[in-house]
Amino acid sequence: MNRSIAWRLALAIALTCALVLSVIGVFLYRSLASELSFRDDMALLGRLERMRALLHDSDSLEALQERPRLYQNMLGNRDSLLLVTHSDGRPVITINPHQQALPPVQPLSQDRMPQRSDIQTVDNLVLLSGVADGPADERLNVTVGMHLQEREQMLASYRLRLYMAVGLGALLAFGLGLLLLRRGLKPLRELAQAMRGINPRSLDQRMPVDHVPTELKEPVLALNAMLARLEDNFARLSQFSADLAHEIRTPLHNLLGSNSLALNQTRSPAEYQDVLASNIEEYERLNRMAENLMFLARAEHGQRPLHLQNVDLREVGDELCDYFDALAEDRGVRLGNSLSGTLTADLHLLQRALSNLLANAVRHAEPDSVIRLVQREDAEYCWIGVHNIGPAIEPQHVGKVFDRFYRVDPSRSQPGDSGGLGLAIVGSIMQLHGGEVRVQSDDSGTLFELGFHHK
Protein backbone atom coordinates (compact mmCIF):
# COMPACT_ATOMS: atom_id res chain seq x y z
CA MET A 1 0.00 0.00 0.00
CA ASN A 2 1.39 3.41 -1.00
CA ARG A 3 1.49 5.52 2.15
CA SER A 4 2.25 8.94 0.74
CA ILE A 5 3.22 11.55 3.32
CA ALA A 6 1.43 14.22 1.29
CA TRP A 7 -1.81 12.21 1.20
CA ARG A 8 -1.66 11.38 4.89
CA LEU A 9 -0.92 14.97 5.89
CA ALA A 10 -3.62 16.30 3.55
CA LEU A 11 -6.09 13.84 5.07
CA ALA A 12 -5.04 14.93 8.57
CA ILE A 13 -5.55 18.58 7.58
CA ALA A 14 -8.98 17.75 6.14
CA LEU A 15 -10.01 15.88 9.28
CA THR A 16 -8.75 18.73 11.45
CA CYS A 17 -10.69 21.27 9.40
CA ALA A 18 -13.79 19.07 9.55
CA LEU A 19 -13.44 18.81 13.33
CA VAL A 20 -12.99 22.57 13.73
CA LEU A 21 -15.89 23.34 11.40
CA SER A 22 -18.05 20.79 13.21
CA VAL A 23 -17.30 22.38 16.57
CA ILE A 24 -18.11 25.82 15.18
CA GLY A 25 -21.26 24.44 13.52
CA VAL A 26 -22.47 22.83 16.74
CA PHE A 27 -21.87 26.08 18.58
CA LEU A 28 -23.75 28.11 15.97
CA TYR A 29 -26.57 25.55 15.81
CA ARG A 30 -27.01 25.53 19.56
CA SER A 31 -26.85 29.31 19.64
CA LEU A 32 -29.55 29.57 16.96
CA ALA A 33 -31.75 26.99 18.66
CA SER A 34 -31.36 28.78 21.98
CA GLU A 35 -32.16 32.13 20.38
CA LEU A 36 -35.28 30.77 18.66
CA SER A 37 -36.44 29.14 21.86
CA PHE A 38 -35.89 32.36 23.79
CA ARG A 39 -37.76 34.38 21.15
CA ASP A 40 -40.74 32.02 21.13
CA ASP A 41 -40.84 31.84 24.91
CA MET A 42 -40.82 35.61 25.25
CA ALA A 43 -43.55 35.81 22.61
CA LEU A 44 -45.72 33.40 24.62
CA LEU A 45 -45.13 35.34 27.84
CA GLY A 46 -46.10 38.55 26.08
CA ARG A 47 -49.23 37.01 24.56
CA LEU A 48 -50.45 35.76 27.92
CA GLU A 49 -50.04 39.21 29.43
CA ARG A 50 -51.71 40.93 26.49
CA MET A 51 -54.68 38.52 26.59
CA ARG A 52 -55.07 39.11 30.30
CA ALA A 53 -55.13 42.87 29.72
CA LEU A 54 -57.49 42.55 26.72
CA LEU A 55 -59.96 40.38 28.63
CA HIS A 56 -59.96 42.65 31.61
CA ASP A 57 -60.46 45.84 29.54
CA SER A 58 -63.17 44.47 27.19
CA ASP A 59 -66.80 45.48 27.55
CA SER A 60 -68.11 41.92 27.35
CA LEU A 61 -67.08 38.41 26.30
CA GLU A 62 -69.71 38.46 23.55
CA ALA A 63 -67.99 41.43 21.90
CA LEU A 64 -64.69 39.54 21.92
CA GLN A 65 -66.28 36.38 20.49
CA GLU A 66 -67.75 38.32 17.57
CA ARG A 67 -64.29 39.50 16.44
CA PRO A 68 -62.10 36.32 16.36
CA ARG A 69 -59.87 37.59 13.52
CA LEU A 70 -58.51 40.11 15.98
CA TYR A 71 -56.87 37.32 17.90
CA GLN A 72 -55.68 35.53 14.79
CA ASN A 73 -54.00 38.72 13.57
CA MET A 74 -52.54 39.27 16.97
CA LEU A 75 -51.19 35.76 17.14
CA GLY A 76 -49.64 36.22 13.73
CA ASN A 77 -49.60 32.80 12.04
CA ARG A 78 -51.29 29.42 11.84
CA ASP A 79 -48.78 27.77 14.15
CA SER A 80 -50.04 29.76 17.12
CA LEU A 81 -53.05 28.81 19.24
CA LEU A 82 -55.22 30.47 21.87
CA LEU A 83 -57.76 28.95 24.22
CA VAL A 84 -59.91 30.98 26.65
CA THR A 85 -62.35 29.05 28.86
CA HIS A 86 -64.53 29.60 31.87
CA SER A 87 -63.52 28.11 35.15
CA ASP A 88 -65.94 25.22 34.47
CA GLY A 89 -64.30 24.50 31.09
CA ARG A 90 -66.81 26.15 28.76
CA PRO A 91 -64.90 27.68 25.80
CA VAL A 92 -64.93 31.41 25.22
CA ILE A 93 -62.36 31.79 22.46
CA THR A 94 -60.80 28.87 20.62
CA ILE A 95 -58.12 29.41 17.97
CA ASN A 96 -56.56 26.07 17.06
CA PRO A 97 -55.82 25.93 13.32
CA HIS A 98 -54.64 22.30 13.43
CA GLN A 99 -57.54 21.18 15.66
CA GLN A 100 -54.99 19.46 17.87
CA ALA A 101 -56.10 18.12 21.25
CA LEU A 102 -54.34 20.04 23.98
CA PRO A 103 -53.06 18.34 27.10
CA PRO A 104 -54.19 19.76 30.45
CA VAL A 105 -51.93 22.54 31.72
CA GLN A 106 -52.01 23.93 35.25
CA PRO A 107 -52.84 27.68 34.95
CA LEU A 108 -50.86 30.33 36.79
CA SER A 109 -52.62 32.44 39.37
CA GLN A 110 -53.63 36.01 38.48
CA ASP A 111 -51.12 37.59 40.84
CA ARG A 112 -48.16 35.59 39.56
CA MET A 113 -45.95 36.97 36.85
CA PRO A 114 -45.26 34.22 34.25
CA GLN A 115 -41.65 33.08 33.78
CA ARG A 116 -39.88 31.02 31.11
CA SER A 117 -39.73 28.11 33.48
CA ASP A 118 -43.56 28.01 33.48
CA ILE A 119 -43.69 27.20 29.77
CA GLN A 120 -44.25 23.51 29.09
CA THR A 121 -43.27 21.53 26.01
CA VAL A 122 -45.64 18.69 25.16
CA ASP A 123 -45.84 16.74 21.88
CA ASN A 124 -44.16 19.31 19.66
CA LEU A 125 -46.08 22.11 21.40
CA VAL A 126 -45.06 24.84 23.81
CA LEU A 127 -47.91 25.88 26.13
CA LEU A 128 -48.43 28.50 28.82
CA SER A 129 -51.60 28.86 30.87
CA GLY A 130 -52.74 31.48 33.35
CA VAL A 131 -55.82 32.81 35.17
CA ALA A 132 -57.36 36.12 33.93
CA ASP A 133 -60.22 38.36 35.06
CA GLY A 134 -63.05 38.79 32.55
CA PRO A 135 -65.09 41.95 31.82
CA ALA A 136 -67.46 41.12 34.66
CA ASP A 137 -64.61 40.05 36.95
CA GLU A 138 -65.36 36.39 36.23
CA ARG A 139 -62.52 33.90 36.41
CA LEU A 140 -61.18 32.78 33.03
CA ASN A 141 -58.38 30.38 32.06
CA VAL A 142 -56.14 31.55 29.19
CA THR A 143 -53.87 29.09 27.39
CA VAL A 144 -51.44 30.31 24.71
CA GLY A 145 -49.24 28.01 22.67
CA MET A 146 -47.21 27.51 19.56
CA HIS A 147 -46.45 24.60 17.27
CA LEU A 148 -42.74 23.86 16.95
CA GLN A 149 -42.95 22.53 13.41
CA GLU A 150 -41.76 25.75 11.81
CA ARG A 151 -38.88 26.02 14.23
CA GLU A 152 -37.85 22.40 13.68
CA GLN A 153 -37.99 22.83 9.91
CA MET A 154 -35.79 25.89 10.16
CA LEU A 155 -33.29 24.07 12.38
CA ALA A 156 -33.33 21.00 10.10
CA SER A 157 -32.55 23.21 7.12
CA TYR A 158 -29.76 24.86 9.08
CA ARG A 159 -28.33 21.48 10.09
CA LEU A 160 -28.30 20.33 6.47
CA ARG A 161 -26.42 23.45 5.45
CA LEU A 162 -23.95 22.91 8.25
CA TYR A 163 -23.35 19.33 7.10
CA MET A 164 -22.77 20.53 3.57
CA ALA A 165 -20.46 23.32 4.75
CA VAL A 166 -18.39 20.91 6.86
CA GLY A 167 -18.14 18.39 4.02
CA LEU A 168 -17.23 20.97 1.39
CA GLY A 169 -14.78 22.62 3.78
CA ALA A 170 -13.05 19.29 4.46
CA LEU A 171 -12.83 18.49 0.73
CA LEU A 172 -11.48 21.96 0.00
CA ALA A 173 -8.93 21.66 2.81
CA PHE A 174 -7.86 18.24 1.53
CA GLY A 175 -7.40 19.49 -2.03
CA LEU A 176 -5.55 22.67 -1.06
CA GLY A 177 -3.49 20.83 1.56
CA LEU A 178 -2.46 18.16 -0.94
CA LEU A 179 -1.48 20.81 -3.49
CA LEU A 180 0.54 22.82 -0.99
CA LEU A 181 2.19 19.73 0.48
CA ARG A 182 3.27 18.48 -2.94
CA ARG A 183 4.83 21.87 -3.61
CA GLY A 184 6.40 21.90 -0.15
CA LEU A 185 7.89 18.40 -0.62
CA LYS A 186 9.53 19.36 -3.89
CA PRO A 187 12.94 19.88 -2.17
CA LEU A 188 12.78 16.25 -0.96
CA ARG A 189 12.28 15.03 -4.50
CA GLU A 190 15.20 17.16 -5.64
CA LEU A 191 17.37 15.69 -2.87
CA ALA A 192 16.33 12.17 -3.86
CA GLN A 193 17.26 12.93 -7.46
CA ALA A 194 20.66 14.22 -6.34
CA MET A 195 21.22 11.14 -4.17
CA ARG A 196 20.55 8.82 -7.11
CA GLY A 197 23.63 10.22 -8.79
CA ILE A 198 25.94 9.19 -5.93
CA ASN A 199 27.88 5.95 -6.41
CA PRO A 200 31.18 4.54 -5.09
CA ARG A 201 33.05 6.65 -7.65
CA SER A 202 31.36 9.89 -6.64
CA LEU A 203 31.29 9.72 -2.84
CA ASP A 204 32.90 13.16 -2.79
CA GLN A 205 29.59 14.71 -3.88
CA ARG A 206 27.50 16.48 -1.25
CA MET A 207 23.85 17.49 -1.05
CA PRO A 208 23.21 21.22 -1.63
CA VAL A 209 22.19 23.11 1.50
CA ASP A 210 21.95 26.70 0.26
CA HIS A 211 18.36 26.60 -1.04
CA VAL A 212 16.76 23.89 1.10
CA PRO A 213 14.03 24.79 3.65
CA THR A 214 15.08 25.37 7.22
CA GLU A 215 13.35 22.16 8.37
CA LEU A 216 15.45 20.10 5.94
CA LYS A 217 18.78 21.78 6.61
CA GLU A 218 19.62 19.63 9.65
CA PRO A 219 18.84 16.30 7.89
CA VAL A 220 20.81 17.41 4.81
CA LEU A 221 23.81 18.38 6.95
CA ALA A 222 23.59 15.01 8.73
CA LEU A 223 23.39 13.27 5.34
CA ASN A 224 26.47 15.14 4.13
CA ALA A 225 28.30 14.13 7.30
CA MET A 226 27.32 10.52 6.68
CA LEU A 227 28.60 10.78 3.08
CA ALA A 228 31.88 12.14 4.40
CA ARG A 229 32.18 9.17 6.77
CA LEU A 230 31.32 6.77 3.96
CA GLU A 231 33.92 8.38 1.71
CA ASP A 232 36.56 8.09 4.43
CA ASN A 233 35.63 4.49 5.28
CA PHE A 234 35.52 3.52 1.62
CA ALA A 235 38.97 5.01 1.12
CA ARG A 236 40.20 3.14 4.19
CA LEU A 237 38.66 -0.09 2.89
CA SER A 238 40.32 0.37 -0.48
CA GLN A 239 43.64 1.06 1.21
CA PHE A 240 43.09 -1.94 3.48
CA SER A 241 42.50 -4.19 0.48
CA ALA A 242 45.69 -2.94 -1.16
CA ASP A 243 47.68 -3.35 2.08
CA LEU A 244 46.28 -6.84 2.65
CA ALA A 245 47.25 -7.87 -0.88
CA HIS A 246 50.74 -6.46 -0.30
CA GLU A 247 51.15 -8.21 3.06
CA ILE A 248 50.03 -11.57 1.66
CA ARG A 249 52.05 -11.21 -1.51
CA THR A 250 55.35 -10.88 0.35
CA PRO A 251 55.27 -14.24 2.20
CA LEU A 252 53.73 -15.97 -0.81
CA HIS A 253 56.52 -14.59 -3.00
CA ASN A 254 59.09 -15.84 -0.49
CA LEU A 255 57.47 -19.28 -0.41
CA LEU A 256 57.35 -19.56 -4.18
CA GLY A 257 60.94 -18.37 -4.55
CA SER A 258 62.39 -20.72 -1.93
CA ASN A 259 60.47 -23.73 -3.21
CA SER A 260 61.39 -22.98 -6.83
CA LEU A 261 65.09 -22.79 -5.92
CA ALA A 262 64.84 -26.01 -3.94
CA LEU A 263 63.29 -27.85 -6.88
CA ASN A 264 65.72 -26.58 -9.52
CA GLN A 265 68.41 -29.04 -8.43
CA THR A 266 68.96 -31.82 -6.00
CA ARG A 267 69.63 -30.67 -2.47
CA SER A 268 70.97 -32.30 0.61
CA PRO A 269 68.59 -33.20 3.46
CA ALA A 270 69.98 -30.34 5.55
CA GLU A 271 69.29 -27.85 2.77
CA TYR A 272 65.74 -29.17 2.39
CA GLN A 273 65.29 -28.79 6.13
CA ASP A 274 66.44 -25.17 5.88
CA VAL A 275 63.90 -24.56 3.12
CA LEU A 276 61.12 -26.14 5.16
CA ALA A 277 62.10 -24.13 8.23
CA SER A 278 62.00 -20.94 6.16
CA ASN A 279 58.61 -21.96 4.77
CA ILE A 280 57.29 -22.58 8.29
CA GLU A 281 58.29 -19.03 9.28
CA GLU A 282 56.33 -17.63 6.36
CA TYR A 283 53.35 -19.88 7.15
CA GLU A 284 53.46 -18.72 10.77
CA ARG A 285 53.50 -15.13 9.53
CA LEU A 286 50.44 -15.78 7.37
CA ASN A 287 48.75 -17.61 10.24
CA ARG A 288 49.37 -14.71 12.66
CA MET A 289 47.98 -12.30 10.08
CA ALA A 290 44.86 -14.43 9.61
CA GLU A 291 44.33 -14.73 13.38
CA ASN A 292 44.80 -11.00 13.89
CA LEU A 293 42.34 -10.19 11.10
CA MET A 294 39.85 -12.66 12.55
CA PHE A 295 40.21 -11.05 15.99
CA LEU A 296 39.67 -7.58 14.52
CA ALA A 297 36.57 -8.72 12.62
CA ARG A 298 35.05 -10.35 15.71
CA ALA A 299 35.90 -7.37 17.91
CA GLU A 300 34.31 -4.86 15.53
CA HIS A 301 31.11 -6.93 15.37
CA GLY A 302 30.99 -7.50 19.13
CA GLN A 303 31.44 -11.26 18.77
CA ARG A 304 34.39 -11.45 21.17
CA PRO A 305 32.91 -11.63 24.70
CA LEU A 306 34.63 -9.87 27.60
CA HIS A 307 35.64 -11.77 30.73
CA LEU A 308 35.90 -8.92 33.20
CA GLN A 309 37.76 -9.40 36.46
CA ASN A 310 39.78 -7.40 38.98
CA VAL A 311 43.32 -7.24 37.58
CA ASP A 312 46.42 -6.55 39.69
CA LEU A 313 48.20 -3.98 37.52
CA ARG A 314 51.53 -4.34 39.32
CA GLU A 315 51.59 -8.07 38.69
CA VAL A 316 50.59 -7.66 35.04
CA GLY A 317 53.32 -5.05 34.49
CA ASP A 318 55.99 -7.26 36.10
CA GLU A 319 55.03 -10.26 33.95
CA LEU A 320 55.19 -8.21 30.75
CA CYS A 321 58.56 -6.70 31.69
CA ASP A 322 59.94 -10.19 32.36
CA TYR A 323 58.58 -11.41 29.02
CA PHE A 324 60.12 -8.55 27.01
CA ASP A 325 63.32 -8.32 29.05
CA ALA A 326 65.38 -10.43 26.64
CA LEU A 327 64.20 -8.52 23.58
CA ALA A 328 64.81 -5.20 25.34
CA GLU A 329 68.32 -6.30 26.28
CA ASP A 330 69.05 -7.17 22.64
CA ARG A 331 67.91 -3.66 21.66
CA GLY A 332 69.95 -2.04 24.42
CA VAL A 333 66.95 -0.59 26.31
CA ARG A 334 65.60 -1.09 29.82
CA LEU A 335 62.05 -1.64 31.07
CA GLY A 336 60.38 0.01 34.07
CA ASN A 337 57.02 -0.74 35.70
CA SER A 338 55.13 2.02 37.56
CA LEU A 339 51.70 0.36 37.56
CA SER A 340 49.83 -0.21 40.81
CA GLY A 341 46.36 -0.91 42.15
CA THR A 342 43.58 -2.90 40.52
CA LEU A 343 41.51 -2.48 37.37
CA THR A 344 38.34 -4.16 36.11
CA ALA A 345 39.18 -5.51 32.64
CA ASP A 346 39.62 -8.63 30.55
CA LEU A 347 43.03 -9.89 31.68
CA HIS A 348 43.95 -11.63 28.41
CA LEU A 349 42.99 -8.65 26.26
CA LEU A 350 44.76 -6.19 28.58
CA GLN A 351 47.94 -8.26 28.38
CA ARG A 352 47.66 -8.43 24.60
CA ALA A 353 47.15 -4.66 24.25
CA LEU A 354 50.09 -3.81 26.52
CA SER A 355 52.24 -6.46 24.78
CA ASN A 356 51.61 -4.86 21.41
CA LEU A 357 52.46 -1.42 22.82
CA LEU A 358 55.65 -2.73 24.48
CA ALA A 359 56.74 -4.53 21.31
CA ASN A 360 56.18 -1.33 19.35
CA ALA A 361 58.08 0.71 21.96
CA VAL A 362 61.04 -1.70 22.04
CA ARG A 363 61.24 -1.57 18.25
CA HIS A 364 61.43 2.24 18.11
CA ALA A 365 63.17 3.19 21.39
CA GLU A 366 66.62 4.74 21.35
CA PRO A 367 69.45 2.63 22.77
CA ASP A 368 70.25 3.11 26.47
CA SER A 369 66.76 4.58 27.06
CA VAL A 370 64.07 3.39 29.46
CA ILE A 371 60.63 2.18 28.41
CA ARG A 372 58.15 2.74 31.20
CA LEU A 373 54.70 1.42 32.03
CA VAL A 374 53.00 4.48 33.50
CA GLN A 375 49.65 5.17 35.12
CA ARG A 376 47.54 8.23 35.91
CA GLU A 377 43.98 8.92 37.01
CA ASP A 378 41.42 11.58 36.10
CA ALA A 379 37.74 12.08 36.88
CA GLU A 380 36.55 9.69 34.15
CA TYR A 381 39.36 7.34 33.18
CA CYS A 382 42.16 5.27 34.54
CA TRP A 383 44.98 5.76 32.01
CA ILE A 384 47.62 3.05 31.52
CA GLY A 385 50.42 3.98 29.15
CA VAL A 386 53.69 2.88 27.58
CA HIS A 387 56.30 5.63 27.20
CA ASN A 388 59.47 5.37 25.19
CA ILE A 389 62.11 7.83 24.03
CA GLY A 390 62.64 7.72 20.28
CA PRO A 391 61.90 9.46 17.01
CA ALA A 392 58.71 11.51 17.25
CA ILE A 393 55.71 10.49 15.17
CA GLU A 394 54.96 13.20 12.65
CA PRO A 395 51.57 14.91 13.12
CA GLN A 396 50.16 13.64 9.81
CA HIS A 397 50.65 10.05 11.03
CA VAL A 398 49.28 10.40 14.58
CA GLY A 399 45.60 10.03 13.57
CA LYS A 400 46.28 6.96 11.43
CA VAL A 401 48.59 4.78 13.53
CA PHE A 402 45.64 2.66 14.72
CA ASP A 403 44.50 1.86 11.17
CA ARG A 404 45.04 -1.64 9.85
CA PHE A 405 48.34 -2.21 8.03
CA TYR A 406 49.34 1.41 8.55
CA ARG A 407 53.04 1.99 9.17
CA VAL A 408 54.82 5.23 9.84
CA ASP A 409 57.97 3.68 8.35
CA PRO A 410 57.32 3.14 4.62
CA SER A 411 59.89 0.33 4.45
CA ARG A 412 57.26 -2.05 5.93
CA SER A 413 59.83 -4.76 6.62
CA GLN A 414 61.54 -4.50 9.96
CA PRO A 415 62.50 -7.47 12.13
CA GLY A 416 59.78 -8.32 14.57
CA ASP A 417 57.22 -6.33 12.60
CA SER A 418 53.61 -7.00 13.65
CA GLY A 419 52.32 -6.81 10.09
CA GLY A 420 50.74 -3.41 10.65
CA LEU A 421 47.96 -4.87 12.82
CA GLY A 422 49.36 -4.49 16.33
CA LEU A 423 48.05 -1.01 17.06
CA ALA A 424 44.78 -1.77 15.23
CA ILE A 425 44.26 -4.65 17.66
CA VAL A 426 44.94 -2.31 20.58
CA GLY A 427 42.24 0.04 19.31
CA SER A 428 39.74 -2.81 18.94
CA ILE A 429 40.49 -4.06 22.47
CA MET A 430 39.74 -0.64 23.90
CA GLN A 431 36.60 -0.43 21.78
CA LEU A 432 35.42 -3.70 23.35
CA HIS A 433 36.04 -2.24 26.82
CA GLY A 434 34.18 0.96 25.92
CA GLY A 435 37.33 2.98 26.61
CA GLU A 436 39.70 5.18 24.65
CA VAL A 437 43.18 4.94 23.19
CA ARG A 438 45.38 7.87 22.27
CA VAL A 439 48.97 8.75 21.46
CA GLN A 440 51.16 11.75 22.19
CA SER A 441 54.51 12.16 20.49
CA ASP A 442 57.10 14.93 20.59
CA ASP A 443 60.81 15.39 21.18
CA SER A 444 60.45 14.16 24.77
CA GLY A 445 59.19 10.78 23.62
CA THR A 446 56.08 8.86 22.56
CA LEU A 447 53.28 7.88 24.94
CA PHE A 448 50.50 5.42 24.06
CA GLU A 449 47.67 5.44 26.63
CA LEU A 450 44.73 3.12 27.28
CA GLY A 451 41.78 4.78 29.03
CA PHE A 452 39.48 2.54 31.13
CA HIS A 453 36.30 3.96 32.63
CA HIS A 454 36.10 4.02 36.40
CA LYS A 455 33.61 1.43 37.65
Side-chain angles (χ1 to χ4, degrees):
M1 182 179 178
N2 183 20
R3 297 185 175 181
S4 169
I5 294 179
W7 276 82
R8 285 187 291 178
L9 290 178
L11 182 60
I13 292 174
L15 292 176
T16 302
C17 289
L19 178 61
V20 172
L21 291 175
S22 298
V23 172
I24 295 175
V26 170
F27 172 77
L28 293 177
Y29 176 80
R30 290 184 178 273
S31 298
L32 177 62
S34 177
E35 184 64 26
L36 292 176
S37 177
F38 176 80
R39 185 196 65 179
D40 293 341
D41 290 349
M42 296 307 294
L44 285 182
L45 294 175
R47 288 170 188 172
L48 178 61
E49 288 301 309
R50 285 194 297 272
M51 285 304 304
R52 279 178 169 178
L54 183 62
L55 290 172
H56 184 268
D57 296 338
S58 297
D59 295 334
S60 65
L61 294 179
E62 291 77 8
L64 290 175
Q65 290 174 336
E66 291 175 357
R67 300 164 60 188
R69 294 185 57 85
L70 173 63
Y71 314 119
Q72 292 178 352
N73 293 336
M74 181 188 68
L75 295 174
N77 56 60
R78 291 179 55 83
D79 287 333
S80 298
L81 56 87
L82 171 65
L83 181 62
V84 180
T85 63
H86 290 281
S87 58
D88 57 4
R90 290 180 294 110
V92 177
I93 299 174
T94 301
I95 300 177
N96 187 358
H98 299 279
Q99 300 301 316
Q100 183 175 353
L102 302 181
V105 180
Q106 182 66 33
L108 301 175
S109 62
Q110 176 68 24
D111 56 351
R112 179 178 173 184
M113 195 73 174
Q115 305 291 330
R116 290 191 67 192
S117 58
D118 298 322
I119 300 175
Q120 302 182 30
T121 303
V122 181
D123 295 335
N124 206 31
L125 283 174
V126 286
L127 299 173
L128 179 63
S129 181
V131 176
D133 293 332
D137 292 333
E138 67 269 35
R139 185 176 183 276
L140 300 174
N141 293 331
V142 179
T143 301
V144 294
M146 180 180 297
H147 289 276
L148 299 179
Q149 183 176 2
E150 181 181 357
R151 185 204 299 182
E152 293 300 326
Q153 289 177 350
M154 181 185 300
L155 292 176
S157 176
Y158 191 74
R159 284 197 303 270
L160 179 61
R161 294 182 181 182
L162 285 178
Y163 296 151
M164 294 176 61
V166 170
L168 290 176
L171 289 176
L172 183 60
F174 178 81
L176 292 177
L178 184 61
L179 177 62
L180 294 176
L181 286 169
R182 287 188 180 276
R183 291 176 61 88
L185 293 175
K186 183 179 179 181
L188 283 179
R189 293 192 293 271
E190 294 175 350
L191 287 176
Q193 183 65 30
M195 291 176 62
R196 291 190 186 99
I198 298 178
N199 54 58
R201 296 182 180 179
S202 60
L203 287 176
D204 58 334
Q205 293 185 13
R206 298 294 181 266
M207 298 294 100
V209 296
D210 295 334
H211 303 291
V212 298
T214 304
E215 294 79 6
L216 294 180
K217 188 160 292 186
E218 286 292 333
V220 171
L221 291 175
L223 179 61
N224 285 338
M226 182 187 70
L227 288 174
R229 293 193 298 270
L230 286 176
E231 181 185 9
D232 181 66
N233 291 334
F234 193 80
R236 289 172 179 263
L237 180 60
S238 299
Q239 184 63 41
F240 168 73
S241 300
D243 292 338
L244 179 60
H246 177 86
E247 296 294 336
I248 293 178
R249 183 178 62 183
T250 300
L252 290 179
H253 178 75
N254 294 338
L255 288 170
L256 289 173
S258 62
N259 288 335
S260 297
L261 289 175
L263 294 175
N264 283 338
Q265 57 184 355
T266 304
R267 306 280 181 173
S268 65
E271 291 175 327
Y272 281 123
Q273 288 179 351
D274 291 339
V275 171
L276 291 176
S278 176
N279 289 348
I280 288 176
E281 291 180 359
E282 298 297 337
Y283 287 135
E284 289 177 347
R285 180 178 176 183
L286 288 172
N287 185 57
R288 286 195 302 271
M289 186 183 303
E291 289 180 351
N292 290 336
L293 288 173
M294 183 66 69
F295 174 84
L296 289 171
R298 289 177 176 174
E300 288 185 357
H301 290 84
Q303 297 178 354
R304 202 292 186 186
L306 286 176
H307 303 287
L308 298 177
Q309 62 185 84
N310 290 328
V311 177
D312 188 328
L313 293 177
R314 184 70 184 182
E315 181 179 348
V316 170
D318 290 340
E319 291 177 355
L320 290 174
C321 288
D322 292 341
Y323 180 80
F324 282 94
D325 185 63
L327 179 60
E329 187 176 352
D330 292 340
R331 296 279 183 170
V333 296
R334 299 184 304 278
L335 301 176
N337 177 26
S338 302
L339 302 182
S340 62
T342 60
L343 177 70
T344 302
D346 187 305
L347 176 60
H348 175 70
L349 293 183
L350 177 62
Q351 290 175 334
R352 186 169 185 176
L354 291 176
S355 296
N356 289 352
L357 294 180
L358 281 172
N360 189 66
V362 170
R363 188 179 305 114
H364 296 95
E366 293 181 353
D368 296 326
S369 63
V370 179
I371 299 173
R372 297 189 180 278
L373 290 171
V374 295
Q375 179 182 356
R376 66 183 180 88
E377 305 278 345
D378 62 21
E380 187 175 1
Y381 291 100
C382 172
W383 294 96
I384 301 174
V386 177
H387 180 269
N388 72 281
I389 299 175
I393 302 175
E394 297 181 5
Q396 66 268 24
H397 299 300
V398 171
K400 300 179 180 180
V401 294
F402 295 100
D403 294 347
R404 300 179 186 182
F405 298 118
Y406 188 84
R407 292 182 178 87
V408 176
D409 187 350
S411 65
R412 296 176 173 268
S413 58
Q414 300 182 24
D417 189 15
S418 62
L421 296 175
L423 293 180
I425 290 176
V426 173
S428 294
I429 289 174
M430 294 312 299
Q431 182 180 358
L432 284 174
H433 282 83
E436 291 188 5
V437 59
R438 63 187 183 186
V439 57
Q440 303 175 16
S441 185
D442 51 32
D443 294 338
S444 63
T446 300
L447 173 64
F448 285 86
E449 289 186 303
L450 311 179
F452 294 85
H453 281 285
H454 290 298
K455 299 297 182 180

